[in-house]
Amino acid sequence: MYEWIQFFHLAAAVIWLGGMALVLLALRPAAIRSLEPAQRLPLMAAVLARFFTMVWISIAVLLGSGLWMMLSADLRLAPRGWHVMSGLGTLMCLIFAHLWWAPYRRLKTAIAAGDLPAAGVALGQIHPLVVTNFALGWLAVAAVQLWR
């Protein structure tokens, strides 16, 4: 049973980190280079809508499976990397919740109203939060892998 829980935990992390890699390293630069704001901003909003749904599912799986694995172990004997990963993961969830309820909400509202300047500002506020979560995610992976 533990192996399946761990598999789903890893799969959720791969989806979240992989999605951030795609958006940050491929989609966003290509969209900036290839599309005018009138096309780029609605595209990015639509992509983020789909991706953020996957992130919410990933968060549920990560929190549930992580809690199950932590509670099934003697926390006094658990590797320090587990504790670091759980702290960083919690921080990532909080950052994502802020991203969802503040700049992403403003992005959706601006796109619906056709207010491209406001949409651009909101998208510009989302970017550093995603970069931060991307870095924190890799720090969590490193902590659990290297700090045993």
Side-chain angles (χ1 to χ4, degrees):
M1 176 72 154
Y2 182 87
E3 289 79 12
W4 280 106
I5 300 293
Q6 187 179 44
F7 169 77
F8 287 114
H9 190 81
L10 290 171
V14 166
I15 288 168
W16 194 357
L17 281 172
M20 287 189 290
L22 175 70
V23 169
L24 291 172
L25 304 175
L27 176 64
R28 182 177 183 271
I32 289 170
R33 194 169 27 262
S34 304
L35 301 172
E36 294 299 320
Q39 292 84 37
R40 180 175 64 242
L41 294 168
L43 171 67
M44 291 301 294
V47 169
L48 291 177
R50 289 177 170 268
F51 174 54
F52 288 168
T53 298
M54 292 188 293
V55 172
W56 279 119
I57 294 167
S58 293
I59 286 172
V61 170
L62 286 163
L63 292 176
S65 60
L67 182 63
W68 188 90
M69 288 187 289
M70 290 288 270
L71 292 176
S72 69
D74 182 348
L75 292 182
R76 291 172 295 159
L77 302 176
R80 281 183 252 166
W82 283 22
H83 298 284
V84 172
M85 177 181 58
S86 116
L88 291 172
T90 301
L91 179 58
M92 289 176 68
C93 292
L94 293 171
I95 289 169
F96 179 74
H98 165 71
L99 182 160
W100 174 269
W101 293 111
Y104 178 61
R105 178 183 257 177
R106 288 191 294 271
L107 174 65
K108 291 189 309 182
T109 301
I111 291 293
D115 186 352
L116 294 182
V121 169
L123 200 54
Q125 293 168 341
I126 290 170
H127 177 72
L129 296 170
V130 175
V131 169
T132 300
N133 263 359
F134 190 61
L136 290 173
W138 283 110
L139 285 174
V141 169
V144 79
Q145 184 61 35
L146 302 174
W147 204 352
R148 294 176 185 245

